[in-house]
Amino acid sequence: MHQALRLIAGVMILVSLALTYFVHPNWVFFSVFIALNLIQSAFTKWCPMITILKKAGLKE
């Protein structure tokens, strides 16, 4: 599960950076959102994506 979480976060960051470069600079805020979510999950030990992955049936 944690490998899937890291993969999803990494892909989302790369997509955000590509959108920032090729589409519009404001897409950088998507990267900021992802970073803030990762930071809050470090403190709260709760990540919304983990909840989604569990509901999707991914085993820990």
Side-chain angles (χ1 to χ4, degrees), residues 1-6 8 37 41 45-58 60:
M1 169 132 4
H2 293 284
Q3 289 96 349
L5 178 65
R6 289 184 189 105
I8 291 167
N37 189 30
S41 70
K45 306 223 183 331
W46 177 76
C47 178
M49 185 55 74
I50 291 285
T51 305
I52 293 168
L53 291 173
K54 284 181 182 177
K55 287 185 180 184
L58 197 64
E60 277 199 56

Side-chain angles (χ1 to χ4, degrees), residues 9-33:
V11 168
M12 288 175 66
I13 290 289
L14 288 176
V15 167
S16 174
L17 293 173
L19 288 169
T20 300
Y21 185 77
F22 292 111
V23 178
H24 195 276
N26 282 342
W27 276 102
V28 75
F29 293 111
F30 186 43
S31 294
V32 171
F33 169 76

